[in-house]
Amino acid sequence: EVQLVESGGSLVQAGGSLRVSCAASGFTFEDYAIGWFRQAPGKEREGVTCMLRNDGSTLYADSVKGRFTTSSDNAKNTVYLQMNSLKPEDTAVYYCAAVASVMCTLAPGFYDDWGQGTQVTVSS
């Protein structure tokens, strides 16, 4: 059974940095695409980044390019989202998701398994 558990969400001031983590179990990262998504109150879930473990390729939403970076630690079966230069509009619940695929996409409907989310709040 695939399980994804996010952690690391917090309250941070605008301009600050935060790293959230996604611990995975039940599958090997190498065969999967791992995505990060976020959902603010009253808004649709938005794709933030995707990473393919088989070749390390990544995809970022325009809104976070140059500020957010995704990485992974295979030994820990954990994926990270490093967020720098945070803005109040980055405030949302952040989710990681996984799908057995060799293709990256930021479309939420493409993903099969989801974590419970972690709250990131950026104060102005």
Side-chain angles (χ1 to χ4, degrees):
E1 178 186 2
V2 174
Q3 285 194 323
L4 301 167
V5 179
E6 302 94 335
S7 62
S10 182
L11 171 65
V12 62
Q13 287 190 334
S17 297
L18 189 66
R19 188 180 78 165
V20 293
S21 303
C22 172
S25 60
F27 67 101
T28 54
F29 268 159
E30 285 78 5
D31 302 326
Y32 276 69
I34 306 295
W36 281 98
F37 296 81
R38 64 187 182 185
Q39 189 165 18
K43 294 189 176 181
E44 293 187 354
R45 191 163 296 190
E46 172 191 20
V48 175
T49 181
C50 171
M51 179 172 62
L52 288 179
R53 282 307 303 141
N54 62 351
D55 64 2
S57 58
T58 55
L59 179 66
Y60 292 91
D62 288 344
S63 58
V64 305
K65 276 181 184 176
R67 300 189 299 123
F68 290 13
T69 303
T70 187
S71 62
S72 69
D73 183 334
N74 284 351
K76 296 181 179 180
N77 230 24
T78 299
V79 175
Y80 304 99
L81 180 65
Q82 175 68 43
M83 301 180 286
N84 299 326
S85 302
L86 282 161
K87 306 174 182 180
E89 51 264 44
D90 293 320
T91 295
V93 177
Y94 282 73
Y95 301 88
C96 64
V99 61
S101 176
V102 295
M103 184 181 76
C104 248
T105 175
L106 298 181
F110 186 72
Y111 291 78
D112 292 329
D113 298 289
W114 293 81
Q116 83 290 348
T118 186
Q119 177 70 47
V120 173
T121 303
V122 184
S123 63
S124 57

